Amino acid sequence: PKKGALVQCRVQSYQTPTEVCVAVFAKGAIKDASVVRIQETSLNMELVLSDDTRFERSWQLPYRINVADSKHT
């Protein structure tokens, strides 16, 4: 969804052998316009924000994850 200027957002993330948790503090994220891609060894996030800016970030995961059991909210 490339749109608007890139901005920085506060991020907290960790991974255990069984769980990945990522929290992005992005005010005004538009869920229907944003994309989260979950893969076995990576996580990619492209958030479109209501002020016509965007946040992008990718993570390489040290442990493989089960994509079928993964979700985001």
Side-chain angles (χ1 to χ4, degrees):
K2 305 281 184 199
K3 177 183 176 184
L6 280 173
V7 295
Q8 296 296 314
C9 295
R10 185 165 69 102
V11 176
Q12 292 181 335
S13 64
Y14 68 88
Q15 183 179 12
T16 68
T18 59
E19 183 177 75
V20 175
C21 182
V22 176
V24 178
F25 299 87
K27 189 173 183 178
I30 303 171
K31 186 174 183 175
D32 292 338
S34 299
V35 176
V36 176
R37 291 182 191 87
I38 302 170
Q39 299 172 329
E40 279 189 346
T41 59
S42 66
L43 174 66
N44 302 299
M45 194 175 291
E46 299 175 31
L47 303 181
V48 176
L49 308 179
S50 60
D51 62 356
D52 290 327
T53 59
R54 61 193 169 91
F55 169 81
E56 293 183 3
R57 179 119 180 231
S58 296
W59 291 264
Q60 292 301 312
L61 305 175
Y63 304 107
R64 290 188 177 275
I65 60 172
N66 183 332
V67 176
D69 290 342
S70 300
K71 64 181 178 182
H72 64 85
T73 58

